Amino acid sequence: MSQFADSEGSVLRALQAIQETFGYVPDEALDTVAEVCNVSRAEVYGVFTYYSDLRSTLPAPNVVRVCIAEACQASGSDSLVAAIRAELGLDVHAKSRSGETEIAPVFCLGNCALGPAALVNDRLLGRTTVAKIRAALGDPR
Ligand code: FES
């Protein structure tokens, strides 16, 4: 952590390093980052909650990120989220009962022209349907 002391942008970089190491940012790490970066815990918490990629729990092995930003909303992301809920039984911000898959919202994947967009692990989807998500997850149904 000492590499992040007294350098510009250090809070975000420290949080990213922690997540890269542990897969998430444990709550107690916020205190450590505040101390090392010489800022308040509230400032660290503000950075932590601003960036949606930073997380406080371990991710499921499969993460489906559904874009809910404006362009994808205009292309049907609300309907996609409803279909995911109905057909996969998964809510946004929730893990499957098995813990294998989770759905997370995201604000723009840079695929706006092909909305609704989604990211299944590292695979970017456009004009996304539940069938495309199933296929990307390796689910043949
Ligand atoms: S708004 Fe959804 S990818 Fe840009």
Side-chain angles (χ1 to χ4, degrees), residues 69-118:
E70 287 79 5
C72 284
Q73 280 186 20
S75 303
S77 64
D78 289 345
S79 299
L80 176 62
V81 168
I84 289 169
R85 191 175 292 129
E87 296 181 40
L88 298 179
L90 286 171
D91 253 320
V92 173
H93 289 296
K95 286 184 184 175
S96 61
R97 199 173 284 165
S98 68
E100 286 294 308
T101 304
E102 72 178 75
I103 306 292
V106 66
F107 292 94
C108 197
L109 293 165
N111 198 25
C112 315
L114 295 176

Side-chain angles (χ1 to χ4, degrees), residues 1-5 9-37 39 41 44-45 47-48 53-59:
M1 293 303 296
S2 62
Q3 66 182 306
F4 300 110
S10 59
V11 171
L12 178 57
R13 289 186 294 116
L15 292 170
Q16 289 171 322
I18 291 168
Q19 182 158 298
E20 196 172 304
T21 302
F22 299 105
Y24 71 109
V25 180
D27 186 60
E28 58 270 24
L30 301 182
D31 294 321
T32 304
V33 172
E35 185 177 319
V36 168
C37 296
V39 297
R41 189 184 200 280
V44 175
Y45 185 76
V47 172
F48 175 71
D53 279 347
L54 295 172
R55 50 183 309 135
S56 60
T57 57
L58 271 174

